[in-house]
Amino acid sequence: MTTTHETPSPPRTAADLLDDPRHRDLVQDMHWFLGSPLAGIFGGLLLDQVANPAIAAAVDHTGRFAANFTDRGVRSFAFGALMAFGDAADSQAFREELKSLHTEVKGSGKGAFEGTRYSALRPDLWIWVAVSSINSVYRSYLYLCGRRLDDEQKEVVYQVLRDSMSYLELPSKQGKLPATLPQFLEYYDRVAESDLADNEFLHFARANFIAPPPPTLMPRRRRRVLRPIWGPLMTVAARPTIVCSDRVCHPRMRELLGINRDSGLDRAEFALYVTLMRLAWRRLPRWLTLEPLAYNRYRYERLRESYRRVLLDSFAVPPERTDPASRQ
């Protein structure tokens, strides 16, 4: 009796997954989610960046977080939008500028970080910041997309994020993003357990995340109007981000930040915020759920498709004009 063996299918590449028609809607949804402020509900996960002592030493020494924590967040948000949703030439210019500006961030920490050497473009530090950013958006989408994703769909989500942030990769082998979602998750766990540590700047950042100061980038007249209500307003506005981020952050971060809330009320509050944000992403119009530059790109692509539908596929002479029989 002859036994036949099926040849196993080769593993699917990232390009295969992103080009698969079955995943087209998921790819598009994830792409636009990158431009949604709703993803910021898990923004507290980004504190894992400054749980790395070398990164904490760098941002502490440069002083921009200390000068105004909110301004620093606004600049990061603006840079991200320009690199993700600007036109091709602008995006490329901003991506190159991002790396160029970071070449100046190197040295040795001061005060509590005395003797800690840092360099922003050191591959392990640079990639950890990228991995942290991807992790925050990835976790946000899993909770807000409105459906349970299988393993392949989760891989698609990761590959969209990896592709959108591939510009952050460095030439060296150590400067590359993990190739697959399992490798990404393994990398995150390994670094969280081995490299993250308690430090003074982590707690400073946490305090400012809970109660961010008024941004100096805001027009002076508007700052004067908002100053009396800024504190209470931010306490309310920051609450969903703190609750949701604390709920899903890595066990190592829970340990470092002393997070131990897990009551039924905590779980109910988390479920409420996630449900509201999920409904917002699924039901509200895109002009309400995308930041302005992303919405501008969203409108452009839909107008482009509207115009494209009225165009011809070919300028060749139609068959009925070249077939003699059709003229008799």
Side-chain angles (χ1 to χ4, degrees), residues 49-314:
Q49 296 177 18
V50 293
N52 183 301
I55 296 174
V59 294
D60 175 71
H61 195 186
T62 58
R64 293 185 185 89
F65 272 106
N68 191 288
F69 189 87
T70 309
D71 284 356
R72 180 62 173 76
V74 170
R75 291 190 183 101
S76 294
F77 179 83
F79 237 122
L82 287 165
M83 288 183 284
F85 296 104
D87 63 37
D90 284 345
S91 293
Q92 183 59 32
F94 282 115
R95 290 170 182 181
E96 292 174 359
E97 183 180 2
L98 180 70
K99 290 181 180 178
S100 175
L101 290 173
H102 277 87
T103 60
E104 304 170 26
V105 183
K106 54 187 175 182
S108 182
K110 304 297 180 183
F113 299 101
E114 186 74 38
T116 302
R117 302 289 302 174
Y118 63 83
S119 173
L121 292 181
R122 200 176 90 188
D124 61 321
L125 302 183
W126 183 261
I127 287 300
W128 176 245
V129 171
V131 163
S132 165
S133 301
I134 290 175
N135 179 65
S136 176
V137 182
Y138 174 76
R139 300 291 174 190
S140 299
Y141 189 76
L142 292 190
Y143 280 100
L144 303 189
C145 68
R147 54 179 169 151
R148 188 179 297 276
L149 304 181
D150 61 30
D151 288 345
E152 182 167 291
Q153 290 170 325
K154 290 178 182 177
E155 183 69 45
V156 170
V157 170
Y158 173 68
Q159 293 302 336
V160 173
L161 287 165
R162 178 172 172 260
D163 181 67
S164 69
M165 298 189 187
S166 61
Y167 65 87
L168 291 172
E169 293 186 324
L170 300 174
S172 68
K173 181 179 179 181
Q174 294 77 19
K176 302 294 188 243
L177 291 167
T180 67
L181 178 60
Q183 291 173 13
F184 169 83
L185 297 174
E186 187 278 330
Y187 178 87
Y188 188 97
D189 285 341
R190 174 164 47 83
V191 174
E193 293 296 343
S194 64
D195 292 359
L196 304 191
D198 193 18
N199 68 78
E200 184 179 282
F201 192 86
L202 172 63
H203 295 285
F204 164 80
R206 168 76 170 185
N208 277 267
F209 218 96
I210 294 172
T216 63
L217 297 174
M218 186 185 297
R220 185 174 301 176
R221 182 177 299 177
R222 193 176 302 172
R223 289 205 308 274
R224 284 201 300 268
V225 171
L226 287 176
R227 186 174 291 117
I229 62 171
W230 181 265
L233 183 65
M234 286 300 101
T235 299
V236 173
R239 178 69 182 175
T241 298
I242 297 302
V243 169
C244 292
S245 301
D246 287 359
R247 184 73 185 165
V248 305
C249 68
H250 192 275
R252 178 59 173 157
M253 288 301 297
R254 293 178 67 88
E255 176 188 351
L256 294 175
L257 294 173
I259 299 168
N260 51 26
R261 298 191 310 270
D262 193 28
S263 68
L265 183 60
D266 292 324
R267 293 191 292 273
E269 189 178 6
F270 171 78
L272 172 64
Y273 295 143
V274 166
T275 299
L276 291 174
M277 294 300 102
R278 182 184 299 146
L279 288 172
W281 178 246
R282 303 283 8 136
R283 302 298 183 188
L284 292 180
R286 285 292 175 251
W287 65 269
L288 281 175
T289 59
L290 296 178
E291 57 84 19
L293 195 58
Y295 183 66
N296 178 69
R297 174 60 59 176
Y298 179 85
R299 288 288 300 141
Y300 165 76
E301 292 195 8
R302 268 136 191 79
L303 288 169
R304 181 191 63 195
E305 290 306 309
S306 296
Y307 290 158
R308 179 69 184 84
R309 282 195 292 270
V310 305
L311 301 181
L312 294 172
D313 294 325
S314 171

